[in-house]
Amino acid sequence: MKKITISDVAQHAEVSKSTVSQYLNKRYDYMAPKTKERIKKAIEELGYHPNIVARSLKQKSTSTIGVIVANILHTFSTQTIRAVEDICNEQGFHIIVCNADDNPEKERKYIEMLRAKQVDGLIIFPTGGNIDLYNSMVKEKYPLVFVDRIVEDLKTSSIMLDNESAVKMAVDHFVNKGYDRIGIMTTSLQRHVTPRVERINGFRRALKENGIPIREDHIKSLELEWIQDGLHDMLSSEEPPQALIAGNDLTLIEILRYIKANGINMPTDLALIGIDDVSFASLFTPELTTIAQPTYEMGKQAAQLLLNKIKDPDFIEEKQIYRFQPELMIRQSC
């Protein structure tokens, strides 16, 4: 079967190849509506598909960005990606999404693969385990934006929640409700993941500000599969917490599983606040009080920042860390 070329389209539409090229690149400024319609009809009738690779080589742009998330199971990741896709779609860019599973080696392979595919830039939720690779991209001024995590001593943009404010909101709400034995559970701090570290630090600071003693047995950071065991130990202590903060959505789910399996009544036996406004929060019984991240705005900022860098190699950032404010969603689990 003969491959349809741009010349075939031009001949069929009775226009020049350059006019068809202008149409394909959406440069319609000096093109009559009838000409546009003829080219569109010719493309449809002939079944023409532009050679994206050839065009990208000519234009030195693939109009594609890569998004590498540390863990796609997080509500935050999927909601942020949605915003990135919306903004990119509006500006004629496509996205390729990869999931690193919090594995630095997998992340490295995805970075190398996406760059081999000549994506114009990367949005990364970094594992933090590829410092040399991150540094090499920064040094060559490759368009790069980080989301949700900061890599120390690396000069690139990071889109972040104000994590300490998020935890302070939760602690203050518990205190206002009369609780004074408050605990927090997060996933492991082993890889020094920024939000987890900041939330634990913010928790300690918020307790001090409220005059509440810090109890180390009420602070646990564990691998996800050990969360329920850690909660069992915490609640079996002589003075168990009356109220608990779930450091992220996956931790929250494990806590809820334990609560259901052990017949714990919320909020009578244990009050609960989760960081991340999960989709089922208002459907759960009782409805879950959460700390919401402005995920759409954060994704929008990440996408726009990256596109600015792509379109203008000399783009100068006003700042490198963009902090977004959380919101307390008061429901019935306190």
Side-chain angles (χ1 to χ4, degrees):
M1 186 176 179
K2 181 190 173 186
K3 185 177 180 180
I4 304 300
T5 67
I6 194 170
S7 297
D8 297 324
V9 175
Q11 186 177 354
H12 196 80
E14 299 180 344
V15 296
S16 67
K17 284 172 59 178
S18 64
T19 302
V20 176
S21 180
Q22 288 174 348
Y23 175 88
L24 293 173
N25 289 300
K26 299 181 181 180
R27 294 197 292 266
Y28 309 132
D29 295 349
Y30 303 104
M31 193 176 296
K34 288 184 178 179
T35 302
K36 284 174 61 177
E37 188 58 36
R38 284 209 313 276
I39 297 172
K40 180 183 177 184
K41 189 175 180 181
I43 289 171
E44 291 172 352
E45 290 178 354
L46 295 174
Y48 172 71
H49 297 284
N51 188 328
I52 301 297
V53 174
R55 194 199 302 182
S56 66
L57 289 172
K58 186 176 180 180
Q59 297 178 347
K60 296 183 179 179
S61 171
T62 59
S63 296
T64 305
I65 69 163
V67 180
I68 304 175
V69 295
N71 189 337
I72 204 165
L73 293 177
H74 284 295
T75 301
F76 174 82
S77 299
T78 53
Q79 291 177 348
T80 306
I81 290 168
R82 174 56 195 269
V84 170
E85 196 279 330
D86 281 352
I87 300 305
C88 287
N89 183 58
E90 288 173 7
Q91 299 194 34
F93 277 72
H94 305 287
I95 73 170
I96 300 173
V97 179
C98 303
N99 173 42
D101 274 330
D102 278 316
N103 183 332
E105 179 61 19
K106 195 173 179 182
E107 177 189 59
R108 182 185 63 77
K109 289 179 179 178
Y110 276 136
I111 291 172
E112 292 172 350
M113 178 272 289
L114 290 168
R115 296 209 60 188
K117 289 182 179 294
Q118 298 186 333
V119 296
D120 296 332
L122 289 173
I123 293 174
I124 304 178
F125 299 55
T127 63
N130 289 291
I131 305 296
D132 291 342
L133 189 52
Y134 306 148
N135 264 315
S136 67
M137 289 190 284
V138 170
K139 285 179 182 177
E140 66 178 277
K141 296 184 178 179
Y142 182 78
L144 179 66
V145 173
F146 284 168
V147 175
D148 196 41
R149 299 177 182 185
I150 296 170
V151 178
E152 294 299 329
D153 303 320
L154 192 72
K155 294 182 179 179
T156 192
S157 315
S158 292
I159 309 298
M160 300 291 300
L161 181 72
D162 187 340
N163 288 295
E164 293 205 7
S165 290
V167 175
K168 180 173 170 51
M169 279 183 179
V171 171
D172 289 350
H173 186 64
F174 280 143
V175 172
N176 289 337
K177 289 286 186 178
Y179 301 104
D180 58 11
R181 296 203 310 271
I182 304 169
I184 186 170
M185 296 199 76
T186 73
T187 35
S188 174
L189 297 180
Q190 187 174 356
R191 288 183 295 273
H192 305 288
V193 175
T194 312
R196 302 172 197 174
V197 173
E198 291 183 346
R199 289 168 193 178
I200 292 293
N201 291 341
F203 177 74
R204 293 176 185 277
R205 187 170 290 112
L207 289 185
K208 285 182 180 179
E209 290 176 1
N210 281 283
I212 297 174
I214 296 171
R215 296 189 50 158
E216 295 301 328
D217 59 335
H218 289 176
I219 302 173
K220 290 188 181 291
S221 299
L222 303 165
E223 295 295 342
L224 200 60
E225 60 267 29
W226 297 107
I227 291 290
Q228 293 193 43
D229 289 338
L231 181 59
H232 178 78
D233 291 343
M234 190 186 287
L235 296 181
S236 300
S237 63
E238 289 186 8
E239 289 187 299
Q242 308 154 315
L244 186 63
I245 299 169
N248 61 37
D249 57 338
L250 299 184
T251 301
L252 174 65
I253 290 170
E254 291 303 308
I255 291 171
L256 291 175
R257 283 177 176 156
Y258 181 89
I259 285 172
K260 183 178 180 180
N262 290 276
I264 294 171
N265 185 282
M266 281 195 300
T268 309
D269 300 330
L270 181 69
L272 183 63
I273 294 177
I275 297 178
D276 287 323
D277 192 28
V278 291
S279 59
F280 59 83
S282 60
L283 303 176
F284 200 83
T285 303
E287 295 181 7
L288 302 173
T289 295
T290 58
I291 306 292
Q293 302 194 53
T295 51
Y296 196 88
E297 291 305 313
M298 293 170 78
K300 181 178 176 182
Q301 176 74 70
Q304 193 58 63
L305 193 54
L306 186 69
L307 292 174
N308 288 342
K309 291 184 176 188
I310 291 169
K311 293 174 182 179
D312 180 7
D314 298 319
F315 174 74
I316 299 174
E317 299 177 68
E318 293 181 5
K319 53 185 175 181
Q320 288 182 324
I321 299 177
Y322 297 75
R323 290 280 184 183
F324 287 76
Q325 292 304 307
E327 181 182 0
L328 176 65
M329 312 296 288
I330 299 174
R331 298 190 182 97
Q332 299 164 1
S333 59
C334 301

